[in-house]
Amino acid sequence: MRVTPDVVASIRALLTGDTAEYTRTGETLDRTGRQARGALLSAAFFTAADRRFSKTGTPADVVTFVGNLRARHGLTEELDPRTAERLLLATFTDEEIDDIGPRVRGEHFTILLVGLIMDEQLPDAELDAFLDEARVLADQWLAD
Amino acid sequence: MPELNRRPEGTDRPEQELREQRPRGLAEPGRHLTNAPVERFRWSEVELDPPEWAKGVDRLDDLPDGEELTEPDPDKTRRTDKIRQVVVESYDEVSDASAKIVNAVDKMFGPRPDGQAHTQTRPDRGPVMSNPHLSDVDAGSVASALLTLGIVAAELTRRVDRLRGSNQK
């Protein structure tokens, strides 16, 4: 199983705010496609968080990021602050996240990923390069 | 032992003859084309910070070799594995586009224009040329007229008085 171009296009639509396209493509995916999209979302979240926090980030930076994200976009219901902070901390510390349910984890992965990419304000070419890097990691995960 | 500096055969003509056959514009070997002073190259050592790609290394011997370059960061590998092990069983659920996610992302990007909220110029109407505004008699005009009349009256009065004075004399 590998990440296909239409799965990448689906995540790209999400990261550019085209939720209608993201939802539409989600409805056309079969089980294999959904697994590939889940792997790509998770890998993209890890890649984006690693870029943002792994070199110079601190737990305080994570708290600030999550707080700003919730306040700026009014995401008090959609984003639980402690869950979001733990998921981000897990990408560069020893924080364990296996007690967080898969659905909550997926929702938070997705919202945090969009927030991280929005902050980066990547041009089209760099967004494509980012997705390509995430796709490589997702393919590794799917192959294991 | 062969004589290394011996001229090739057929080039035994005198140097003067060779110089005459040399095309114009070509200088003799060892002679500069111009008389401009020649700047001599000077060797100098400049202290520079090592470039970013060198990661603080300023000697070739200290640069990492191929094995070190390809070796991944063990911490990052461990963290990546940790995330993978957690999510590997639930890719389907991560992928599901719940209404919560769509609602959140829509909030983050803000409302999208629906195409009806923008005012547009109707295509069947050209620019409308309005007539220049002609003002009616206003208070300022009345004041200006009264002031002018007062000045004229005062001047007439002054002249009449002058004429009367001259007639009396």
Side-chain angles (χ1 to χ4, degrees):
Chain A
M1 189 194 329
R2 293 179 68 86
V3 176
T4 54
D6 58 331
V7 168
V8 177
S10 173
I11 302 299
R12 195 181 201 289
L14 176 76
L15 297 181
T16 54
D18 191 351
T19 49
E21 176 68 9
Y22 177 72
T23 306
R24 189 191 67 76
T25 52
E27 291 167 354
T28 62
L29 295 175
D30 58 4
R31 179 176 164 78
T32 304
R34 287 203 309 277
Q35 286 183 333
R37 190 164 85 162
L40 181 58
L41 264 175
S42 306
F45 165 76
F46 178 81
T47 305
D50 182 67
R51 281 188 183 188
R52 173 74 173 255
F53 297 110
S54 70
K55 287 184 180 172
T56 58
T58 64
D61 294 334
V62 170
V63 172
T64 303
F65 170 76
V66 172
N68 284 339
L69 191 63
R70 295 179 78 233
R72 199 166 60 229
H73 303 296
L75 300 175
T76 50
E77 290 183 9
E78 293 86 352
L79 204 61
D80 174 65
R82 186 59 194 144
T83 304
E85 288 162 10
R86 288 181 60 200
L87 291 173
L88 288 169
L89 287 170
T91 63
F92 69 102
T93 69
D94 292 331
E95 179 75 30
E96 297 294 339
I97 55 171
D98 46 6
D99 61 315
I100 301 174
R103 188 161 194 87
V104 171
R105 200 169 54 225
E107 290 170 353
H108 282 69
F109 272 177
T110 309
I111 297 171
L112 289 170
L113 169 63
V114 174
L116 288 165
I117 295 300
M118 281 186 84
D119 275 7
E120 293 291 322
Q121 295 185 331
L122 298 176
D124 282 350
E126 291 187 29
L127 179 60
D128 289 337
F130 165 78
L131 285 170
D132 200 46
E133 183 181 344
R135 184 187 55 77
V136 170
L137 181 60
D139 279 339
Q140 288 176 5
W141 287 2
L142 289 167
D144 288 343
Chain B
M1 187 170 182
E3 186 181 348
L4 294 176
N5 292 330
R6 193 182 61 186
R7 283 185 177 187
E9 291 183 4
T11 57
D12 292 339
R13 289 171 292 180
E15 182 65 24
Q16 181 65 30
E17 186 180 345
L18 287 174
R19 194 176 298 135
E20 289 172 358
Q21 290 181 352
R22 184 174 291 122
R24 294 186 66 182
L26 286 179
E28 293 177 36
R31 181 179 290 184
H32 297 287
L33 288 174
T34 65
N35 294 326
V38 179
E39 186 177 347
R40 298 190 62 185
F41 178 76
R42 294 179 182 173
W43 183 272
S44 60
E45 292 189 2
V46 181
E47 292 290 333
L48 291 174
D49 292 333
E52 188 178 348
W53 59 265
K55 299 186 183 304
V57 175
D58 56 358
R59 290 176 49 191
L60 286 176
D61 293 341
D62 295 338
L63 284 171
D65 58 13
E67 290 183 1
E68 292 173 356
L69 285 172
T70 56
E71 188 176 339
D73 178 8
D75 283 344
K76 185 175 179 180
T77 305
R78 187 170 48 83
R79 293 193 306 267
T80 308
D81 283 344
K82 180 178 67 178
I83 299 287
R84 185 189 64 79
Q85 286 170 5
V86 170
V87 299
V88 69
E89 298 297 332
S90 55
Y91 287 143
D92 301 45
E93 294 181 78
V94 172
S95 171
D96 285 345
S98 68
K100 198 175 185 180
I101 292 174
V102 171
N103 185 41
V105 176
D106 282 343
K107 275 186 182 178
M108 294 165 81
F109 281 91
R112 289 182 168 266
D114 57 3
Q116 297 175 353
H118 302 283
T119 56
Q120 295 180 348
T121 303
R122 290 182 55 172
D124 57 342
R125 292 186 61 183
V128 176
M129 303 298 290
S130 61
N131 293 321
H133 178 67
L134 298 175
S135 61
D136 298 328
V137 177
D138 55 9
S141 302
V142 172
S144 299
L146 289 175
L147 181 61
T148 306
L149 285 174
I151 292 171
V152 170
E155 185 65 20
L156 284 174
T157 305
R158 191 175 63 80
R159 291 198 174 189
V160 168
D161 288 346
R162 188 185 296 171
L163 286 173
R164 281 181 181 170
S166 60
N167 289 336
Q168 287 176 357
K169 289 179 182 177

